[in-house]
């Protein structure tokens, strides 16, 4: 069960949970999967919204909360099946643009900072439940930025720019670091070798959640899946390449039945035996009129092939 509190020093909502790891939570290297981290983050974040904020009152005023960006960082630590996954979240009421209150560019939302830790496992498939040490060590982290919107308001009034009465107990703070932009997501090493690729698809009902749109985790999974195709086409052994970071910037949601085109640029650097990669991946809406040149979701997937153990 999660434990929740409000930090008087930082004026943030803080919660912690401990859950046992199961088989689907870890990959073949016993690393924490991105999908596991995403599901845990969304659960704990929204539980904090419900405990610390009068969400019903905000919705009655026409205000909803949507994911603006996510940033997941994954370690190489092998974990153990049935080992405890410790998850801590700090949720802050933030100004997202960096211009502060009172600017014509002001937009308000939340920043949700997550840390994960677990006791290290053996990494041995024959001893998949054994712990090397009982003390938990960091294994992943995440940052999720939520924007508050009035979706039924006129375009100029859709962004929430003044604090709501329901949030007076949570003073507005600056983000811990600037909100990601298309420019930051597309920056790549100067000497990286670039290739491009695209594929088409359509979202189904199984990709959605009760908010009536495609679930955040589905975009992340789509980008990780596309990365594996890029690795294969680049001649990089997919089974030995690990994803270390996934960052996604969301601009517009998709619904069940919406068609999309994935367009990507794959950048490779490092040595042939230990390459580092950056995949910049856009998900573009396709309609009978054509494909929108602006991505509805723009992601950056960073990975590398660790040097072979001697």
């Amino acid at each position: 069960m999660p434990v929740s509190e409000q930090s008087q020093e930082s004026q943030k909502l803080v919660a912690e949970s401990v859950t046992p790891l199961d088989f689907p939570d870890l990959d073949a290297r016993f690393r924490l999967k991105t999908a596991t981290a995403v599901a845990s983050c969304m659960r704990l974040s929204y539980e904090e919204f419900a405990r610390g904020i009068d969400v019903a009152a905000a919705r009655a005023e026409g205000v909803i909360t949507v994911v603006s960006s996510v940033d997941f960082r994954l370690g190489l630590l092998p974990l153990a099946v049935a080992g405890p996954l410790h998850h801590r979240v700090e949720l802050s009421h933030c100004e997202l643009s960096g211009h502060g209150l009172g600017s014509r560019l002001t937009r308000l939302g939340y920043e949700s900072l997550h840390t994960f830790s677990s006791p290290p496992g053996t990494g041995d498939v024959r001893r998949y439940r054994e712990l090397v040490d009982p003390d938990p060590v960091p294994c992943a982290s995440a940052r999720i930025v939520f924007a508050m919107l009035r979706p039924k308001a006129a375009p100029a009034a859709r962004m929430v720019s003044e604090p709501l009465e329901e949030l007076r107990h949570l003073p507005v703070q600056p983000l811990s670091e600037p909100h990601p932009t298309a420019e930051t997501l597309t920056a790549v090493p100067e000497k990286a070798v670039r290739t491009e690729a695209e594929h088409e698809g359509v979202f189904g009902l199984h990709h959605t959640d009760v908010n009536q749109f495609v679930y955040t985790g589905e975009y992340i999974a789509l980008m990780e899946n596309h990365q594996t195709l890029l690795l294969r086409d680049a001649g990089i052994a997919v089974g030995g390449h690990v994803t270390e970071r996934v960052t996604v910037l969301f601009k517009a949601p998709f619904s069940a039945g919406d068609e999309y085109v994935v367009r990507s640029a794959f950048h490779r650097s490092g040595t042939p035996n230990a390459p580092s990669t950056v995949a910049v991946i856009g998900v573009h809406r396709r309609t009978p009129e054509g494909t929108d040149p602006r991505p509805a979701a723009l992601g950056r997937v960073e990975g590398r092939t660790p040097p072979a153990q001697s």
Side-chain angles (χ1 to χ4, degrees), residues 10 26 113 116 122 126 128 135 145 150 158 165 167 181 213 234 241-242 249-250:
S10 61
L26 306 176
L113 299 177
F116 294 89
T122 64
R126 297 163 299 182
Y128 59 85
D135 294 329
V145 177
R150 294 185 178 91
R158 284 179 187 164
E165 186 62 35
L167 294 168
T181 64
F213 296 112
H241 199 77
V242 298
L249 178 63
F250 299 93

Side-chain angles (χ1 to χ4, degrees), residues 100-125:
L101 294 174
S103 166
R104 65 179 181 84
L105 299 175
T106 297
R107 56 190 181 119
L108 297 177
Y110 308 93
E111 182 179 48
S112 184
L113 299 177
H114 302 258
T115 53
F116 294 89
S117 61
S118 187
T122 64
D124 185 339
V125 70

Side-chain angles (χ1 to χ4, degrees), residues 199 221-233 238 241-246 262 264 266 277-279 281 301-304:
H199 75 259
L222 175 64
M223 291 178 184
E224 285 191 305
N225 289 340
H226 188 72
Q227 182 209 30
T228 62
L229 299 177
L230 297 170
L231 290 168
R232 179 203 63 186
D233 293 345
V238 176
H241 199 77
V242 298
T243 297
E244 294 186 299
R245 186 175 183 181
V246 182
V262 174
S264 62
F266 186 70
T277 63
V278 175
I281 303 170
V301 183
E302 300 178 31
R304 67 186 176 96

Side-chain angles (χ1 to χ4, degrees), residues 1-6 13-19 40 43-45 47-48 51 85-91 113-117:
M1 291 291 292
V3 177
S4 180
E5 65 184 54
Q6 181 173 344
L13 298 176
V14 179
E16 297 181 352
S17 70
V18 182
T19 54
S40 188
R43 174 183 56 80
L44 205 53
S45 290
E47 285 178 355
E48 274 307 283
R51 273 192 290 265
L85 180 65
H86 298 260
H87 181 185
R88 176 184 173 88
V89 60
E90 296 183 356
L91 184 68
L113 299 177
H114 302 258
T115 53
F116 294 89
S117 61

Side-chain angles (χ1 to χ4, degrees), residues 68-275:
S68 179
S69 68
V70 299
D71 187 355
F72 287 85
R73 305 187 190 209
L74 308 165
L76 294 175
L77 181 74
L79 306 179
V81 173
L85 180 65
H86 298 260
H87 181 185
R88 176 184 173 88
V89 60
E90 296 183 356
L91 184 68
S92 304
H93 182 202
C94 289
E95 199 287 307
L96 310 185
S97 73
H99 293 275
L101 294 174
S103 166
R104 65 179 181 84
L105 299 175
T106 297
R107 56 190 181 119
L108 297 177
Y110 308 93
E111 182 179 48
S112 184
L113 299 177
H114 302 258
T115 53
F116 294 89
S117 61
S118 187
T122 64
D124 185 339
V125 70
R126 297 163 299 182
R127 301 156 57 208
Y128 59 85
R129 289 180 180 267
E130 290 186 30
L131 301 178
V132 173
D133 190 302
D135 294 329
V137 297
C139 59
S141 65
R143 177 190 187 221
I144 304 177
V145 177
F146 299 88
M148 287 188 286
L149 298 175
R150 294 185 178 91
K152 296 184 179 180
R158 284 179 187 164
M159 291 293 182
V160 175
S161 58
E162 295 184 1
L164 304 178
E165 186 62 35
E166 293 77 16
L167 294 168
R168 294 295 178 186
H169 61 299
L170 290 174
V172 176
Q173 304 178 51
L175 291 172
S176 63
E177 58 183 88
H179 193 283
T181 64
E183 290 72 22
T184 60
L185 293 189
T186 56
V188 296
E190 289 185 9
K191 296 183 179 180
V193 177
R194 172 188 171 112
T195 57
E196 297 184 1
E198 72 173 55
H199 75 259
E200 303 175 5
V202 59
F203 288 114
L205 192 61
H206 62 290
H207 293 119
T208 62
D209 61 23
V210 296
N211 287 322
Q212 307 303 302
F213 296 112
V214 172
Y215 169 57
T216 302
E218 297 291 350
Y219 300 97
I220 298 171
L222 175 64
M223 291 178 184
E224 285 191 305
N225 289 340
H226 188 72
Q227 182 209 30
T228 62
L229 299 177
L230 297 170
L231 290 168
R232 179 203 63 186
D233 293 345
I236 298 173
V238 176
H241 199 77
V242 298
T243 297
E244 294 186 299
R245 186 175 183 181
V246 182
T247 311
V248 185
L249 178 63
F250 299 93
K251 291 295 187 180
F254 286 86
S255 301
D258 286 346
E259 296 185 25
Y260 63 84
V261 175
V262 174
R263 292 175 175 166
S264 62
F266 186 70
H267 307 267
R268 172 179 179 165
S269 57
T271 66
N273 293 329

